[in-house]
């Protein structure tokens, strides 16, 4: 199967040379005249003169690029390019037979009423919105965060189906999946855990995010190596025309940002750095210790030449602190990323070519301030190529890549009999998808992904996305997605104790079954007017061979795993109303997550032969409402969240462990052990929280400006429980009422 798949990919690279189209081709790069940055989602259309008939159209991607193929030659066309908030571009074009044109178009910002015409463009995904949440930086900015700029992870946590353990830990569970079953990409560069130890922040602030797409399931064949979800983030390039910078201070963190052209309109740099201040500020501000520290640095070098666009990106994050204060257990993790993503659309290329290459490293530790007791790391070197062809008139997207992974594990023997692992695992991935739109109502995208490694079976992962638009527009849309998904790695943690976020990342051993899942999602979307959108989705995920740490009645991480099967299902309902100056978004999610495994594999003290349980990320109900209003230069935002309690494991008791006859009970009373009751047998209470903010930007002479934001996290000071600590037997609450005032000084 794998040989046939690789052969097909090779054939696809040869066919186009023999069957090159003799029709004409238009490639367009749309940029902002203000800063030279790409405008994502611009409408590019070709009309007959006079605008009587729309003939061709496309929508720009994250590079501001799109292309229109199979244009009939020897005819005059009218090119129109539009983007909300910018003046439209009009231009007449003529094509000779087989001619390939490449245009760079700057759009000027437009102040006042915008007469925008609507075009149903073919985006990268034409098969409906099911399972997808598209995120712009304006969405991120609306979520109250104790800093002037919003943060991506704060927004993601408002999405129905996304669960976090609380306000710290940096882990996200998406529609029943665990953190290691998610795949996070930054400009096609994988990042393991870019979320900070405070769950209000990630490495991606509003100021650096261009857009993002969260695939809660049913993602296409171009994504491999994840069995639950994908978060695909695009960072913005630096300003291509002017130097600018900013500095911000808040009770939670301080930040610095610099950007500007290296070569005007062609090359730019962007640099941001942030570090937390909450550990020093919290005692005087809220009267309690918050023993956490985090920081992140992002650097970006962008090249936009006539026929190529490249982004070279470096990311460094560091987190450390006590997830549960007073336990005196320090958790820490780091991410280091360096890579490049290039899109080539030279006239010599029949189709654009995208190549990504780079390095990703992730380390996480747990121990005391003096000693590291547990350590796990994964390092990846990778190269990926994405291509497009149209053999025999059929559009085909395909690609392949190589990922060389190195795993390094060291565990203190007091936690497990397994103490170390050092292993290198190469993985080859290939994919093929066929976006087919027979008419303006139906769209299909079947696909196939395969992963190949030296000591594991070849994966076979068929995918399908489809949509139906009854009236031929996206005013109403019924869509469906399904597929099989496989991973060649796993993460092991003790889910009974949410006070620890240490995870052992390890490869799948030779002969062991691969973790896999089946997804099925159906969704309906309705637009009413230009301001209101309603969306409802139902989903099912069937996970197989989930490695879970073997349980013992005492608190102890086991690297040895049992295999569990997981089944999650639920539905989401979302409403969105946006009509200046008002904005309202509300989403409700209901879900069930259930695991089952052979009790003898999990732990001997469980009586029933097959143990079924609801894991710690099973949350029945979640409701989020975000409201925004702009007035007199101010912007007010509010977020209210309600969530049902998640399962936890109650402590049965304590005893002293003595190894007889090696230890003498007279001289050594033994080591204190915490004994568990039935795993996940209890549930935490409901929680709810209100966050509010008010911000305004003030212009200062000489191109300087000052932005200020004041707000409150947990405005009515509810005592939401984080967990009942197993070691101190104390209730640990989430963030109490937290007022803040943040300021940001910018120079344009």
């Amino acid at each position: 199967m794998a040989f046939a798949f690789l052969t097909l990919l090779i054939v696809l690279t040869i066919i186009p040379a023999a069957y090159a189209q003799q029709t004409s081709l238009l490639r367009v790069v749309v940029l902002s005249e203000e800063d030279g940055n790409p405008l994502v989602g611009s409408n590019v259309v070709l009309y007959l003169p006079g605008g009587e008939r729309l003939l061709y159209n496309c929508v720009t991607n994250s590079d501001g690029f799109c292309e229109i193929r199979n244009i009939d030659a020897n005819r005059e066309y009218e090119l129109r390019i539009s983007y909300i908030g910018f003046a439209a571009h009009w231009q007449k074009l003529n094509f000779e037979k087989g001619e390939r044109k490449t245009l760079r178009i700057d759009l000027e910002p437009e102040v006042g009423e915008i007469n925008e015409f609507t075009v149903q463009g073919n985006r990268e995904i034409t098969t409906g919105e099911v399972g997808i949440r598209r995120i712009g930086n304006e969405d991120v900015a609306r979520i109250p965060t104790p800093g002037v700029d919003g943060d991506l992870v704060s927004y993601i946590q408002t999405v129905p189906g996304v669960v976090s353990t609380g306000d710290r830990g940096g882990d996200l569970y998406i529609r029943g999946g665990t953190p290691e079953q998610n795949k996070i990409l930054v400009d096609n560069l994988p990042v393991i855990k870019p979320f900070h130890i405070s769950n209000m922040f990630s490495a991606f602030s509003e100021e650096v995010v261009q857009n993002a797409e969260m695939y809660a399931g049913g993602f296409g064949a171009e994504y491999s190596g994840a069995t639950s979800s994908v978060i695909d983030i695009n960072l913005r390039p630096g300003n291509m025309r002017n130097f600018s910078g900013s500095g911000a201070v808040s009770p939670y963190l301080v930040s610095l940002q610099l950007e500007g052209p290296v070569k005007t309109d062609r090359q730019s740099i962007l640099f941001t750095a942030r570090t937390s201040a909450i550990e020093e500020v919290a005692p005087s501000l809220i009267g309690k210790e918050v023993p956490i520290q985090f920081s992140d640095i992002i650097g970006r070098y962008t090249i936009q030449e006539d026929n190529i666009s490249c982004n070279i990106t470096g990311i460094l994050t560091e987190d450390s602190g006590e997830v549960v204060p007073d336990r005196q257990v320090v958790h820490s993790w780091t991410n280091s990323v360096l890579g490049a993503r290039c899109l080539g659309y030279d006239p010599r290329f029949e189709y654009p070519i995208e190549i990504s290459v780079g390095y990703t490293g992730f380390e996480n530790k747990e121990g005391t301030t003096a000693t590291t007791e547990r350590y796990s790391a994964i390092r990846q070197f990778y190269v990926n190529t994405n291509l497009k062809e149209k053999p025999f008139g059929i559009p085909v997207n395909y690609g392949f890549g190589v990922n060389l992974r190195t795993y390094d594990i060291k565990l203190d023997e007091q936690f497990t009999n397994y103490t170390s692992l050092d292993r290198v695992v190469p993985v080859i991935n290939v994919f093929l998808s066929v976006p087919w739109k027979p008419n303006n109502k139906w769209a299909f995208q079947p696909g196939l992904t395969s992963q190949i490694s030296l000591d594991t079976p070849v994966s076979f992962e068929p995918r399908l996305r489809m949509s139906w638009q009854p009236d031929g527009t996206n005013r109403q849309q019924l869509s469906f997605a399904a597929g099989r998904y496989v991973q060649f790695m796993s993460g092991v943690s003790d889910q009974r104790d949410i006070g620890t976020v240490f995870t052992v990342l390890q490869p799948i051993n030779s002969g062991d079954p691969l973790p896999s899942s089946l997804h099925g999602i159906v969704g309906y979307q309705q637009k009413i007017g230009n301001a209101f959108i309603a969306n409802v989705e139902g989903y099912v995920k069937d996970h197989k061979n989930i490695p879970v740490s073997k349980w013992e009645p005492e608190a102890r991480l086991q690297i040895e795993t049992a295999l569990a099967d997981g089944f999650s299902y639920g539905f989401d309902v979302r409403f969105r109303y946006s009509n200046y100056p008002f904005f309202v978004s509300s989403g409700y999610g209901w879900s069930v997550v259930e695991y089952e495994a052979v009790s003898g594999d999990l732990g001997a003290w469980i009586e029933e032969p097959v143990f079924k349980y609801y894991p710690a990320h099973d949350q029945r109900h979640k409701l989020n409402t975000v409201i925004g209003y702009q007035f007199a230069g101010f912007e007010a935002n509010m977020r209210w969240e309600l969530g049902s309690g998640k399962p936890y494991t109650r402590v049965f008791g304590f005893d002293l462990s003595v190894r007889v006859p090696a230890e003498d009970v007279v001289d050594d009373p033994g080591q204190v052990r915490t004994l568990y009751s039935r795993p996940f047998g209890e549930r935490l209470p409901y929680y709810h929280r209100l966050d509010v903010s008010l911000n305004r930007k003030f212009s200062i002479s000489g191109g300087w400006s000052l932005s200020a934001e004041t707000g409150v996290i947990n405005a009515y000071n509810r005592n939401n429980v984080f967990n009942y600590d197993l070691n101190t037997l104390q209730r640990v609450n989430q963030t109490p009422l937290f007022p803040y005032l943040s300021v940001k000084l910018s120079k344009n």
Side-chain angles (χ1 to χ4, degrees):
M1 180 64 199
F3 177 77
F5 199 4
L6 286 171
T7 301
L8 178 60
L9 292 182
I10 294 172
V11 169
L12 286 173
T13 62
I14 299 174
I15 288 177
Y19 293 89
Q21 298 290 328
Q22 292 302 308
T23 52
S24 301
L25 165 67
L26 173 65
R27 289 170 173 163
V28 177
V29 179
V30 183
L31 307 172
S32 166
E33 190 274 337
E34 188 174 35
D35 57 15
N37 287 344
L39 294 178
V40 183
S42 301
N43 290 311
V44 179
V45 298
L46 283 178
Y47 278 94
L48 288 178
E52 298 176 358
R53 182 184 173 194
L54 170 64
L55 297 179
Y56 307 97
N57 68 280
C58 65
V59 178
T60 57
N61 63 11
S62 60
D63 296 294
F65 171 85
C66 74
E67 65 175 12
I68 299 175
R69 309 185 67 85
N70 302 323
I71 301 172
D72 291 335
N74 301 319
R75 173 185 282 184
E76 185 177 70
Y77 295 95
E78 190 173 274
L79 171 68
R80 301 184 188 179
I81 302 175
S82 68
Y83 187 82
I84 295 177
F86 288 76
H89 174 87
W90 298 47
Q91 178 181 347
K92 289 186 177 181
L93 292 177
N94 289 282
F95 294 89
E96 297 180 1
K97 188 174 182 180
E99 183 181 6
R100 300 178 180 179
K101 289 183 183 292
T102 300
L103 302 178
R104 289 170 59 95
I105 305 297
D106 290 350
L107 298 188
E108 296 182 0
E110 184 176 58
V111 179
E113 185 177 355
I114 303 168
N115 296 318
E116 173 72 9
F117 58 90
T118 301
V119 176
Q120 297 301 318
N122 293 327
R123 293 182 181 271
E124 187 74 15
I125 298 172
T126 62
T127 51
E129 301 294 310
V130 66
I132 305 172
R133 193 61 175 263
R134 305 185 191 277
I135 306 167
N137 59 3
E138 68 278 2
D139 299 310
V140 175
R142 291 190 180 104
I143 308 303
T145 307
V148 175
D149 300 323
D151 195 277
L152 179 62
V153 74
S154 291
Y155 176 84
I156 290 176
Q157 291 178 90
T158 69
V159 178
V162 177
V163 175
S164 62
T165 55
D167 61 359
R168 70 206 75 154
D171 286 334
L172 293 182
Y173 301 81
I174 300 176
R175 285 188 175 175
T178 57
E180 62 274 4
Q181 292 171 338
N182 304 327
K183 186 168 190 176
I184 301 162
L185 298 171
V186 181
D187 291 318
N188 217 26
L189 312 175
V191 187
I192 300 297
K193 189 176 179 179
F195 310 120
H196 286 309
I197 193 169
S198 167
N199 279 353
M200 288 184 280
F201 296 96
S202 68
F204 312 114
S205 70
E206 163 200 347
E207 284 296 298
V208 299
V209 174
Q210 185 179 66
N211 60 14
E213 292 179 336
M214 190 185 81
Y215 300 80
F219 39 93
E222 63 271 23
Y223 298 108
S224 62
T227 56
S228 181
S229 69
V230 172
I231 301 175
D232 196 348
I233 304 165
N234 291 306
L235 304 182
R236 72 174 184 85
N239 194 310
M240 288 282 182
R241 293 179 180 168
N242 300 293
F243 285 97
S244 63
S246 66
V249 178
S250 78
Y252 228 107
L253 79 168
V254 296
S255 64
L256 174 69
Q257 179 169 317
L258 301 170
E259 61 181 296
V262 175
K263 181 180 179 182
T264 302
D265 287 339
R266 299 296 177 176
Q267 300 173 26
S268 71
I269 57 170
L270 172 68
F271 173 84
T272 66
R274 303 188 302 172
T275 187
S276 62
I278 186 62
E279 188 172 32
E280 292 77 18
V281 174
S284 58
L285 186 63
I286 61 175
K288 63 181 295 186
E289 298 282 344
V290 181
I292 61 174
Q293 297 176 333
F294 60 89
S295 62
D296 54 66
I297 298 174
I298 295 178
R300 189 158 222 236
Y301 184 76
T302 300
I303 301 172
Q304 290 181 354
E305 297 296 339
D306 290 336
N307 300 314
I308 191 171
S309 174
C310 284
N311 293 301
I312 302 171
T313 305
I315 302 172
L316 178 64
T317 75
E318 292 186 352
D319 289 79
S320 66
E322 299 178 22
V323 175
V324 175
D326 301 326
R327 185 185 282 193
Q328 297 182 343
V329 176
V330 178
H331 300 86
S332 63
W333 63 87
T334 62
N335 289 279
S336 52
V337 178
L338 180 61
R341 170 184 167 272
C342 291
L343 178 69
Y345 40 92
D346 190 276
R348 294 169 294 179
F349 299 159
E350 180 67 18
Y351 286 83
I353 297 175
E354 182 180 292
I355 298 176
S356 303
V357 59
Y359 162 83
T360 292
F362 172 74
E363 299 178 354
N364 74 134
K365 306 173 185 178
E366 183 180 79
T368 66
T369 54
T371 305
T372 297
E373 296 171 343
R374 312 180 191 184
Y375 171 86
S376 175
I378 179 173
R379 299 174 180 87
Q380 304 178 74
F381 298 89
Y382 49 85
V383 57
N384 295 291
T385 301
N386 294 337
L387 302 160
K388 296 182 180 182
E389 304 292 354
K390 202 170 184 178
F392 312 111
I394 302 173
V396 175
N397 299 332
Y398 66 102
F400 49 88
V402 177
N403 189 319
L404 188 65
R405 299 173 182 167
T406 300
Y407 299 86
D408 186 8
I409 302 171
K410 295 180 179 65
L411 302 176
D412 192 297
E413 64 179 4
Q414 68 171 307
F415 298 103
T416 178
N417 295 326
Y418 187 101
T419 57
S420 65
L421 170 71
D422 190 353
R423 185 175 169 194
V424 178
V425 179
V427 178
I428 298 173
N429 63 84
V430 293
F431 80 89
L432 176 72
S433 69
V434 182
W436 176 49
K437 196 168 184 179
N439 53 49
N440 64 348
K441 294 184 177 182
W442 289 95
F444 303 88
Q445 189 168 353
L448 178 64
T449 292
S450 184
Q451 300 177 74
I452 306 161
S453 188
L454 295 178
D455 51 2
T456 53
V458 176
S459 72
F460 178 72
E461 306 171 53
R463 316 275 174 88
L464 174 65
R465 294 184 60 87
M466 58 184 293
S467 68
W468 176 53
Q469 298 172 339
D471 58 358
T473 73
N474 64 354
R475 306 300 299 178
Q476 54 179 324
Q477 185 179 87
L478 180 67
S479 48
F480 169 80
R484 183 173 187 263
Y485 306 86
V486 175
Q487 283 187 208
F488 279 21
M489 61 172 285
S490 66
V492 183
S493 60
D494 191 346
Q495 291 189 347
R496 293 173 297 180
D497 182 8
I498 68 170
T500 176
V501 293
F502 175 76
T503 301
V504 176
L505 298 174
Q506 61 180 7
I508 304 301
N509 293 323
S510 178
D512 289 348
L514 294 171
S516 64
S517 66
L518 298 174
H519 295 189
I521 313 176
V522 61
Y524 177 77
Q525 179 173 283
Q526 176 71 61
K527 295 184 178 180
I528 301 176
N530 294 321
F532 183 80
I533 300 176
N535 184 290
V536 59
E537 288 185 11
Y539 64 90
V540 174
K541 289 183 182 179
D542 187 10
H543 286 272
K544 299 293 184 184
N545 307 315
I546 305 171
V548 295
S549 176
K550 285 192 174 184
W551 297 340
E552 293 185 2
E554 61 187 87
R556 172 176 170 169
L557 173 70
Q558 281 282 12
I559 191 72
E560 295 182 58
T561 58
L563 295 181
D565 292 335
F567 191 68
S568 61
Y569 57 94
F571 68 88
D572 299 344
V573 180
R574 303 195 303 269
F575 303 94
R576 178 186 175 102
Y577 176 81
S578 181
N579 188 16
Y580 182 85
F582 291 100
F583 174 85
V584 179
S585 175
S586 186
Y588 167 75
W590 177 86
S591 65
V592 175
V593 184
E594 185 177 32
Y595 281 15
E596 68 172 37
V598 176
S599 299
D601 294 340
L602 284 174
W605 92 99
I606 300 173
E607 295 181 356
E608 54 263 49
V610 176
F611 182 55
K612 295 183 179 181
Y613 64 98
Y614 301 113
H617 57 284
D618 173 54
Q619 186 177 44
R620 288 287 183 274
H621 307 280
K622 181 179 179 180
L623 173 65
N624 261 284
T625 298
V626 178
I627 299 175
Y629 178 62
Q630 298 182 43
F631 63 98
F634 290 89
E635 181 176 358
N637 292 297
M638 181 198 81
R639 171 201 175 188
W640 185 73
E641 179 172 335
L642 168 71
S644 59
K646 297 179 282 291
Y648 77 98
T649 302
R650 176 177 290 181
V651 173
F652 178 76
F654 301 91
D655 73 355
L656 299 173
S657 174
V658 183
R659 292 178 293 177
V660 178
E663 297 175 345
D664 188 342
V665 296
V666 176
D667 299 329
D668 189 349
Q671 182 178 354
V672 177
R673 297 187 304 179
T674 302
L675 303 181
Y676 287 117
S677 182
R678 183 180 179 86
F680 308 107
E682 306 291 337
R683 280 190 181 267
L684 297 172
Y686 271 74
Y687 77 93
H688 47 88
R689 193 180 86 186
L690 173 68
D691 303 337
V692 295
S693 68
L694 179 68
N695 64 72
R696 180 170 180 172
K697 185 175 182 179
F698 303 90
S699 296
I700 307 174
S701 62
W704 290 88
S705 63
L706 179 70
S707 300
E709 178 171 309
T710 183
V712 180
I713 303 299
N714 194 7
Y716 47 76
N717 199 24
R718 176 177 169 81
N719 289 326
N720 290 307
V721 63
F722 176 69
N723 81 326
Y724 294 100
D725 185 48
L726 302 177
N727 296 289
T728 64
L729 293 185
Q730 294 180 351
R731 169 175 167 150
V732 180
N733 287 329
Q734 299 186 42
T735 301
L737 185 145
F738 188 96
Y740 65 90
L741 173 63
S742 307
V743 293
K744 177 180 178 180
L745 184 64
S746 304
K747 176 67 168 69
N748 296 320

